[in-house]
């Protein structure tokens, strides 16, 4: 019953940006090795990582090690719990942010077991203008959102988007792709869109226009390492005009069913 109520409210908010206060201060790092920004650089390293909730919060240190190994400036994570019974009512993203010493923002997509579940953005830069927009989903399917925040990289504002599209069917995702395109077209700053797109085929990535895709027919990064069959190139990083993808790679994972995808971007 609670799920249906959430879906009904979401349907009325489609296309409406819901602003949320950005977490202002970075946490004190819990480890000796932390991620730091390269000052005076026109290069940023970004990572998209479906962390599978850090194994219900029990593998935070392992996921943190995966992140610190690549030294990214921004990380978009999918599948994260906050105050959920199954994860011991822990704020998993806050603990992960503390382990890597990064600013963070949590974006709830659904209510679950007394808490919420959704997306997160980690950044060595302060996060500003945080917001989230519900994506269209069918009644009864898992609610999906588009999360965003702005970072300032040496005087240039960059909009970071994070999402996790529906797995139920391509028709529903196609509507979500169309909505994403609309949001990107309206972006007033250079942007990076990251996420788990749950595509059944690489051709779905072509729904987005006027962007550069890191995961494509030529690179074909099989980021999903879980047991399900079908396409494994689920995760991607899209960048707007003005960026040059200097390098790209797929990282290793020690605690998730997705490998992280990493790109070094220059402007």
């Amino acid at each position: 019953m609670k799920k249906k109520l959430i879906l009904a409210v979401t349907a009325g908010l489609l296309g409406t940006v819901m602003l949320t206060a950005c977490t202002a201060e970075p946490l004190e790092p819990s480890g000796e090795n932390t991620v730091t920004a390269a000052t005076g650089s026109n290069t940023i390293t970004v990572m998209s990582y479906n962390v599978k909730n850090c194994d219900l919060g029990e593998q935070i240190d392992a996921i943190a090690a995966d992140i610190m190994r690549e030294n990214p400036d921004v990380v978009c994570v999918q599948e994260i719990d906050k105050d959920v019974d199954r994860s011991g009512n822990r704020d998993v993203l806050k603990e992960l942010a503390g382990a890597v010493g990064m600013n963070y923002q949590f974006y709830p997509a659904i209510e679950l077991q007394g808490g919420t579940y959704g997306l997160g953005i980690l950044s060595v830069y302060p996060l500003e203008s945080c917001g989230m927009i519900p994506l269209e989903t069918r009644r009864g399917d898992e609610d999906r959102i588009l999360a965003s925040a702005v970072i300032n990289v040496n005087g240039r504002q960059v909009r970071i988007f994070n999402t996790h599209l529906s797995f139920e069917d391509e028709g529903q995702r196609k509507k979500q792709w169309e909505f994403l395109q609309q949001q990107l077209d309206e972006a007033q700053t250079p942007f990076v869109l990251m996420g788990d797109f749950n595509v059944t085929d690489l051709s779905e990535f072509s729904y987005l226009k006027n962007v550069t895709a890191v995961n494509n027919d030529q690179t074909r990064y099989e980021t999903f390492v879980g047991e399900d069959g079908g396409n494994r190139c689920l995760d991607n990083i899209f960048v707007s005009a003005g960026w040059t993808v200097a390098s790209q790679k797929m990282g290793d994972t020690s605690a998730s069913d997705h490998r992280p995808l990493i790109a070094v971007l220059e402007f």
Side-chain angles (χ1 to χ4, degrees):
M1 186 67 182
K2 184 183 290 185
K3 178 77 170 185
K4 291 182 179 179
L5 176 61
I6 295 169
L7 290 169
V9 172
T10 298
L13 293 172
L14 289 176
T16 302
V17 178
M18 296 186 294
L19 296 178
T20 180
C22 297
T23 304
E25 297 295 331
L27 296 173
E28 288 297 321
S30 60
E32 295 180 359
N33 298 317
T34 59
V35 180
T36 57
T39 58
S41 172
N42 290 331
T43 299
I44 64 169
T45 301
V46 298
M47 171 189 285
S48 184
Y49 195 3
N50 182 325
V51 297
K52 198 183 178 183
N53 200 36
C54 301
D55 191 20
L56 302 183
E58 296 303 316
Q59 295 292 332
I60 290 174
D61 288 343
I63 295 294
D66 293 343
I67 292 172
M68 290 189 291
R69 189 181 305 119
E70 306 299 339
N71 198 40
D73 298 295
V74 179
V75 186
C76 285
V77 297
Q78 303 84 41
E79 297 192 13
I80 203 91
D81 281 357
K82 182 177 182 180
D83 303 326
V84 176
D85 288 348
R86 68 180 183 183
S87 298
N89 305 108
R90 301 165 70 177
D91 189 337
V92 178
L93 183 66
K94 181 178 181 179
E95 293 187 35
L96 180 60
V100 297
M102 299 176 81
N103 300 286
Y104 73 100
Q105 181 66 38
F106 173 74
Y107 302 84
I110 63 172
E111 294 183 5
L112 180 67
Q113 298 179 3
T116 50
Y117 164 89
L119 308 175
I121 297 178
L122 302 166
S123 173
V124 297
Y125 300 99
L127 296 168
E128 305 171 0
S129 302
C130 299
M132 52 182 276
I133 311 175
L135 302 181
E136 181 177 348
T137 54
R138 289 191 309 248
R139 188 172 297 275
D141 290 346
E142 182 178 332
D143 290 346
R144 304 289 175 167
I145 60 173
L146 174 65
S148 68
V150 170
I151 59 174
N152 190 307
V153 184
N154 299 317
R156 171 175 289 204
Q157 286 194 325
V158 177
R159 173 70 66 176
I160 304 297
F161 291 104
N162 185 15
T163 197
H164 189 180
L165 298 191
S166 296
F167 66 87
E168 286 84 2
D169 67 77
E170 184 177 350
Q172 181 160 245
R173 282 195 305 279
K174 187 173 188 298
K175 293 179 180 178
Q176 294 170 351
W177 284 113
E178 291 170 350
F179 183 74
L180 291 180
Q181 183 68 66
Q182 177 186 343
Q183 297 303 308
L184 299 182
D185 287 343
E186 295 175 359
Q188 300 298 309
T189 61
F191 63 78
V192 182
L193 166 65
M194 295 180 267
D196 175 356
F197 296 91
N198 272 320
V199 297
T200 56
D201 188 274
L202 275 168
S203 63
E204 282 194 49
F205 290 142
S206 65
Y207 284 141
L208 288 189
K209 309 299 181 184
N210 305 315
V211 294
T212 298
V214 167
N215 202 353
N216 54 56
D217 285 328
Q218 287 71 48
T219 55
R220 194 175 180 84
Y221 294 113
E222 296 189 353
T223 52
F224 182 64
V225 294
E227 296 180 357
D228 294 343
N231 180 57
R232 294 180 174 271
C233 304
L234 304 185
D235 305 275
N236 214 335
I237 299 170
F238 298 92
V239 299
S240 63
W243 292 106
T244 298
V245 180
S247 65
Q248 54 203 26
K249 63 180 288 189
M250 183 172 61
D252 293 326
T253 184
S254 55
S256 179
D257 56 359
H258 287 246
R259 298 185 182 98
L261 189 62
I262 305 105
V264 177
L265 310 177
E266 296 178 344
F267 58 82

